Amino acid sequence: MSTATYTVKGMTCGHCVSSVKEEVSEVAGVTNVEVDLATGLLTVNSDGPVDPAKITVAVEEAGYEVANQ
């Protein structure tokens, strides 16, 4: 089990949160996704390490940006 956190910029509402959760959930190996709208914090749980670039691409597909780690 692996957990990684990211900061997502540009989310302003519940729909934003849903879009990010949906896209990131589709990344292979991801088991759970939590998004905090107030802080922009994205927490990704997975079976094993997931390439951060894949998470970044999923967030971008949802229309948002991952802040520099």
Side-chain angles (χ1 to χ4, degrees):
M1 188 77 166
S2 181
T3 302
T5 57
Y6 304 85
T7 302
V8 179
K9 298 193 303 187
M11 296 186 300
T12 58
C13 64
H15 182 264
C16 301
V17 169
S18 296
S19 296
V20 170
K21 284 180 80 166
E22 183 178 334
E23 290 293 337
V24 174
S25 293
E26 293 177 7
V27 174
V30 171
T31 56
N32 188 49
V33 179
E34 295 295 328
V35 181
D36 185 322
L37 177 61
T39 61
L41 193 65
L42 166 65
T43 304
V44 180
N45 295 317
S46 56
D47 293 329
V50 173
D51 183 355
K54 291 182 180 178
I55 302 300
T56 300
V57 167
V59 169
E60 289 172 352
E61 285 180 8
Y64 306 97
E65 180 183 351
V66 174
N68 291 336
Q69 297 291 315

